[in-house]
């Protein structure tokens, strides 16, 4: 079963929804959710770069009889998956920081509304 | 000797994880041990980076993978002229900032955590300028900027938190664009090593995917470098951090994770001979000119000392980007290589100079805030009588940034203006001169309201800042003077190798690529990587 370009369209749509939420929403929590969506869109895109329909897991043990060419032609690309893993960890760090900042902001300003958190200007 | 290269990353990272141990006995504990450890690390790294100056370009393969027959499955650290220049700049400013922090940070609680974040940020920046692998650049850029988000929020008061939140959201979005660009490049070439990407890109026609990747990088790193359409976060974030951190952020972070990576990718990876290169160069010229002009226009009306300096950072980085962009455009149009080299020389020289004088200005503003408790220009005044050392250093820095001879800013701006005129960009050369004049006006205002005039009665009892802060400022002031006066002495070891590293362009691929493949299995796997049909 092939999905064709549909997953790519999904990644694109997620990217735009994420960007829209980050730019247009006023609520801090919603902005954080927008960043998360954007991150998932990029991760999905990276995953699709290495995907091959019907591909095998990219694990080759010493006793395998499959030739290197056949193996490389039949498995999915493992490298984007490694990139995504790294990017998820980085994203988690960022997310934790954003959420803790949001909590501190709520403590100080008593609101999650970005339009009412406006002391810096000029 | 090449085996020592990873220590520039390992040492600060290690100290970064040791430092929080100092707060085990409560947030106020820690004493002098952790600051002393950090200061020693800073000195060690500065010495190491100075020892590296003028050496041959070096490549270090992490884990020694290429020698085991898997040529393209390794991460490399590359230290060429450009990396050496930035390494020295980063570690010098870091050492000065640590010295300044010795006294300045005592009023914050959680001192060990401050040093921990500082060291992690330093490790990230050192790794970014040394990395020869584009994904590693992304990872260490994140290490550096996440530490800087936390440092901006370090005061945890209302403005700090607000600024940090804006910074973290925009920073995350820009990082994701960078990641998208890396994914596209990987799909095009099947490589993440910058030398190998460059090698593959020379053979490829400029497909839309190449343009999209280049666009993602411009947007991502442009936001990190605060070029003008993407600059909104900088005037909030940089002033909100503690003063030594402002000096680090404005002085080196926007260069290491912004301008440096843009230059590296543009010259060494995409290459100036390709159509992408020419377009890239023109985009940089436009962004640079816009940043230069709009930054200074916004700075003139500011009354917050540090905010004014932050806007000038945007403007001065505009000079750097403009000069490098013009150099690139000349190379792309196959114009005179010496004019291109002169423009790039001017840009890189200004980058080093900006690190010196902008860090000094932020340290001076920190001293004024330390003793007077305010950074509002209306409430300051007459400090030359009570804080002679700070005032003297502030004057040196202001003269440097405004481009008054014999200080360093004059020489780099002169070279930039001359190079722009030689390259035929007369309008931009005039604009650069006008912006320099407006910078001077803006700093006359700073002199008038901070150093001259009558001292407000409230401030008549303030004294000079503690000795470590004075030493740090004096060191940078001397650097400002020497960088300007001793151009003939230092250009051969500091700036010219960096200029050559950029003008040599895609020969980067030849010089830093791994040895020829020897193992068939890996060759096959690597050659089919990234070419998977959906």
């Amino acid at each position: 079963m092939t999905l064709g370009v549909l997953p790519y369209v999904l990644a694109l749509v997620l990217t735009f929804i994420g960007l829209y939420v980050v730019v247009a929403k006023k609520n801090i929590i919603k902005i954080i959710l927008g960043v998360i969506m954007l991150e998932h869109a990029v991760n999905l895109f990276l995953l699709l770069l290495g995907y091959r329909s019907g591909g095998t897991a990219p694990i080759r043990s010493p006793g395998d009889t499959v030739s290197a060419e056949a193996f490389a032609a039949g498995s999915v690309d493992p490298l984007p998956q490694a990139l995504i893993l790294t990017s998820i960890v980085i994203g988690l760090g960022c997310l934790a920081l954003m959420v803790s900042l949001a909590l501190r902001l709520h403590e100080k300003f008593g609101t999650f509304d970005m339009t009412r958190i406006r002391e810096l200007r000029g | 000797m090449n085996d020592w290269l990873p220590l520039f990353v390992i040492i600060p990272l290690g100290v970064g994880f040791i430092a929080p141990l100092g707060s085990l006995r409560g947030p106020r504990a820690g004493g002098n041990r952790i600051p002393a450890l950090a200061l020693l690390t800073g000195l060690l790294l500065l010495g190491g980076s100075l020892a590296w100056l003028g050496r041959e370009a070096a490549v270090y393969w992490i884990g020694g993978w290429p020698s085991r027959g898997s040529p393209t499955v390794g991460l490399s650290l590359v230290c060429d002229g450009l990396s050496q220049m930035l390494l020295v700049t980063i570690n010098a400013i870091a050492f000065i900032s640590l010295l300044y922090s010795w006294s300045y940070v005592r009023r914050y609680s959680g001192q060990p955590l401050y040093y921990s974040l500082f060291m992690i940020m330093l490790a990230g920046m050192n790794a970014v300028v040394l990395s020869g692998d584009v994904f590693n650049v992304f990872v260490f850029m994140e290490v550096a900027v996440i530490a800087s988000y936390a440092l901006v929020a370090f005061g945890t008061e209302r403005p700090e938190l607000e600024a940090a939140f804006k910074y973290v959201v925009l920073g995350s979005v820009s990082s994701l664009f960078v990641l998208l660009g890396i994914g596209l490049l990987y799909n095009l070439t099947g490589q993440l090593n910058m030398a190998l990407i460059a090698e593959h890109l020379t053979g490829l026609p400029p497909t839309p995917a190449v343009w999209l990747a280049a666009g993602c990088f411009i947007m991502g790193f442009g936001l990190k470098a605060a070029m003008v359409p993407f600059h909104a976060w900088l005037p909030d974030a940089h002033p909100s951090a503690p003063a030594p951190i402002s000096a680090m952020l404005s002085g080196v972070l926007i260069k290491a994770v912004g301008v440096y990576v843009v230059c590296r990718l543009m010259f060494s990876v995409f290459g100036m001979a390709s159509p992408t290169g020419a377009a890239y160069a023109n985009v940089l010229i436009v962004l640079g000119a816009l940043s230069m002009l709009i930054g200074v226009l916004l700075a003139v009306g500011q009354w917050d000392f540090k905010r004014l300096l932050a806007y000038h950072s945007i403007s001065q980085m505009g000079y750097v980007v403009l000069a490098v962009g013009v150099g690139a455009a000349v190379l792309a149009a196959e114009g005179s290589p010496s004019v291109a080299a002169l423009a790039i020389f001017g840009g890189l020289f200004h980058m080093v100079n900006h690190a010196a004088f902008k860090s000094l200005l932020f340290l001076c503003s920190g001293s004024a805030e330390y003793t007077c408790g305010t950074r509002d220009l209306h409430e300051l005044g007459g400090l030359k009588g009570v804080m002679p050392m700070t005032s003297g250093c502030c004057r040196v820095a202001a003269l440097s940034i405004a481009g008054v001879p014999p200080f360093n800013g004059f020489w780099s701006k002169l070279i930039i203006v001359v190079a722009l005129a030689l390259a035929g960009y007369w309008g931009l050369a005039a604009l650069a001169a006008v912006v320099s004049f407006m910078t001077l006006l803006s700093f006359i205002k700073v002199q008038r309201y901070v150093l001259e005039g009558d001292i407000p009665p409230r401030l008549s009892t303030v004294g000079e800042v503690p000795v470590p802060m004075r030493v740090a400022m004096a060191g940078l002031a001397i650097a400002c003077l020497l960088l300007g006066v001793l151009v003939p002495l230092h250009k051969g070891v500091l700036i010219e190798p960096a200029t050559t590293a950029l003008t040599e362009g895609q020969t980067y691929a030849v010089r830093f690529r791994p040895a020829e493949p020897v193992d068939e299995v890996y060759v096959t796997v690597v050659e089919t990587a990234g070419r998977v049909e959906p």
Side-chain angles (χ1 to χ4, degrees):
Chain A
M1 187 192 82
T2 54
L3 291 169
V5 297
L6 266 183
Y8 290 92
V9 175
L10 176 64
L12 191 70
V13 170
L14 273 178
T15 309
F16 282 120
I17 296 177
L19 273 181
Y20 167 78
V21 171
V22 170
V23 173
K25 291 293 172 188
K26 304 293 176 212
N27 188 312
I28 289 181
I29 302 298
K30 286 181 184 166
I31 294 175
I32 294 176
L33 289 177
V35 175
I36 298 174
M37 285 182 80
L38 198 54
E39 196 188 304
H40 284 270
V42 175
N43 287 348
L44 177 61
F45 179 71
L46 287 182
L47 190 67
L48 289 172
L49 291 182
Y51 179 73
R52 156 184 288 157
S53 64
T56 57
I59 304 167
R60 190 169 188 267
S61 41
D64 280 357
T65 49
V66 193
S67 73
E69 289 82 4
F71 174 76
S75 70
V76 298
D77 188 353
L79 202 131
Q81 302 177 3
L83 301 192
I84 294 167
L85 212 55
T86 316
S87 124
I88 287 174
V89 174
I90 292 173
L92 180 72
C94 243
L95 177 64
L97 187 65
M98 277 194 278
V99 171
S100 52
L101 279 177
L103 282 177
R104 287 311 259 294
L105 276 170
H106 193 267
E107 241 170 57
K108 299 278 179 194
F109 290 86
T111 174
F112 279 131
D113 187 351
M114 216 45 199
T115 50
R116 286 167 59 196
I117 303 175
R118 245 176 214 283
E119 297 199 339
L120 299 167
R121 49 177 70 243
Chain B
M1 186 74 176
N2 286 355
D3 293 348
W4 296 84
L5 211 47
L7 289 183
F8 283 112
V9 187
I10 294 170
I11 293 177
L13 208 55
V15 175
F17 285 104
I18 293 171
L21 297 179
S23 60
L24 282 181
R25 292 182 194 162
R28 284 272 165 202
N32 283 336
R33 275 190 219 153
I34 299 300
L37 178 66
L39 196 58
L40 212 61
T41 315
L43 188 61
L44 188 67
L45 290 173
L46 175 60
S49 59
L50 283 174
W52 220 281
L53 265 189
R55 285 171 53 85
E56 285 287 302
V59 189
Y60 174 84
W61 291 90
I62 297 168
W65 284 94
S67 57
R68 291 188 207 154
S70 52
T72 48
V73 196
L75 298 174
S76 64
L77 295 182
V78 175
C79 187
D80 64 352
L82 185 61
S83 304
Q84 286 172 0
M85 185 190 90
L86 274 146
L87 214 51
V88 169
T89 316
I90 291 168
N91 290 303
I93 302 298
F95 174 67
I96 297 276
S97 299
L98 284 167
L99 188 61
Y100 189 91
S101 305
W102 181 277
S103 310
Y104 187 85
V105 186
R106 290 190 188 270
R107 49 190 192 145
Y108 291 95
S109 62
Q111 234 197 112
L113 299 179
Y114 168 88
Y115 285 104
S116 171
L117 287 168
F118 191 109
M119 282 295 154
I120 292 172
M121 182 167 84
L122 182 57
M125 280 192 283
N126 281 346
V128 165
V129 298
L130 282 178
S131 183
D133 179 284
V134 76
F135 189 70
N136 242 15
V137 168
F138 167 77
V139 171
F140 282 106
M141 174 183 85
E142 287 297 279
V143 169
V145 297
I146 291 179
S148 77
Y149 302 149
L151 281 168
V152 167
F154 201 75
T156 59
E157 286 305 319
R158 292 163 75 118
E160 282 96 340
L161 291 171
E162 184 192 341
F165 188 75
K166 285 181 189 167
Y167 185 23
V168 67
V169 168
L170 287 175
S172 303
V173 172
S174 79
S175 300
L176 290 171
F177 272 92
V178 170
L179 188 57
L180 196 60
I182 292 172
L184 287 166
L185 271 191
Y186 175 70
N187 194 39
L188 279 169
T189 62
Q191 303 293 347
L192 287 173
N193 184 294
M194 288 203 275
L196 291 170
I197 291 177
E199 194 179 275
H200 281 257
L201 277 182
T202 41
L204 284 180
T207 54
V210 179
W211 292 99
L212 186 57
C216 284
F217 286 133
I218 286 271
M219 146 110 205
F221 292 115
L223 208 149
K224 289 277 195 291
M227 314 260 169
V228 146
F230 317 116
H231 69 289
W233 58 273
L234 186 140
D236 291 341
H238 285 193
S240 302
I245 297 303
S246 305
M248 284 294 281
L249 295 182
S250 261
V252 286
L253 189 78
I254 54 173
K255 301 177 179 71
V257 306
V259 180
Y260 161 78
V261 193
V262 166
C263 293
R264 179 63 93 202
L265 287 176
M266 179 174 70
F267 284 91
S268 305
V269 176
F270 285 98
M272 279 303 106
S274 65
T276 348
Y280 220 142
N282 287 327
V283 169
L284 284 198
I285 293 175
V286 172
L287 288 183
L290 269 181
S291 308
M292 197 169 77
L293 184 64
I294 293 178
V296 80
L297 286 179
L298 290 170
V300 167
Q302 295 302 320
W303 286 99
D304 180 328
F305 197 170
K306 284 174 92 177
R307 205 175 171 82
L308 182 144
L309 297 179
Y311 276 113
H312 277 294
S313 283
I314 298 173
S315 169
Q316 300 299 316
M317 288 323 283
Y319 274 96
V320 176
V321 173
L322 174 65
V324 172
V326 166
V330 172
L331 280 183
E334 295 184 347
S336 153
S338 56
V339 172
L342 186 69
I344 296 170
F345 180 91
L348 294 177
F349 187 25
H350 199 64
M351 192 145 99
V352 176
N353 291 343
H354 180 256
F357 57 63
K358 184 52 61 69
S359 302
L360 179 52
L361 280 168
F362 268 115
L363 295 186
C364 291
S365 73
S367 297
E369 197 187 1
Y370 185 83
T371 51
C372 307
T374 177
R375 359 185 255 246
D376 191 335
L377 294 184
H378 292 295
E379 294 173 25
L380 292 165
L383 291 189
K384 70 172 177 183
V386 286
M387 300 167 71
M389 187 89 181
T390 307
S391 308
C393 293
C394 187
R395 269 192 226 284
V396 170
L399 292 175
S400 298
I401 193 175
V404 175
F407 296 103
N408 56 3
F410 169 73
W411 302 105
S412 49
K413 281 186 185 176
L414 185 68
I415 294 171
I416 289 174
V417 171
V418 169
L420 292 184
L422 285 178
Y425 293 90
W426 289 98
L428 289 177
L431 182 67
V434 169
V435 169
S436 183
F437 179 67
M438 286 163 74
T439 311
L440 181 62
L441 285 186
S442 169
F443 277 93
I444 287 175
K445 170 174 140 185
V446 171
Q447 304 281 311
R448 162 70 185 79
Y449 283 96
V450 178
L451 307 181
E452 305 292 333
D454 298 325
I455 188 157
R458 193 175 66 84
L459 300 180
S460 54
T461 55
V462 301
E464 186 58 271
V465 289
V467 175
M469 290 163 73
R470 268 187 267 176
V471 173
M473 287 189 292
L476 274 179
I478 293 168
C480 279
L481 184 62
L482 292 188
L483 275 173
V485 179
L486 299 182
V487 179
L489 284 183
H490 70 65
K491 70 169 185 182
V493 285
L494 193 63
I495 322 277
E496 270 175 359
T499 312
T500 321
L502 283 185
T503 48
E504 279 175 348
Q506 280 183 310
T507 57
Y508 182 86
V510 186
R511 284 178 295 144
F512 302 119
R513 64 156 298 156
E516 282 304 312
V518 277
D519 184 329
E520 270 182 30
V521 177
Y522 283 109
V523 176
T524 324
V525 173
V526 163
E527 278 179 355
T528 47
R531 309 267 173 134
V532 185
E533 296 300 321

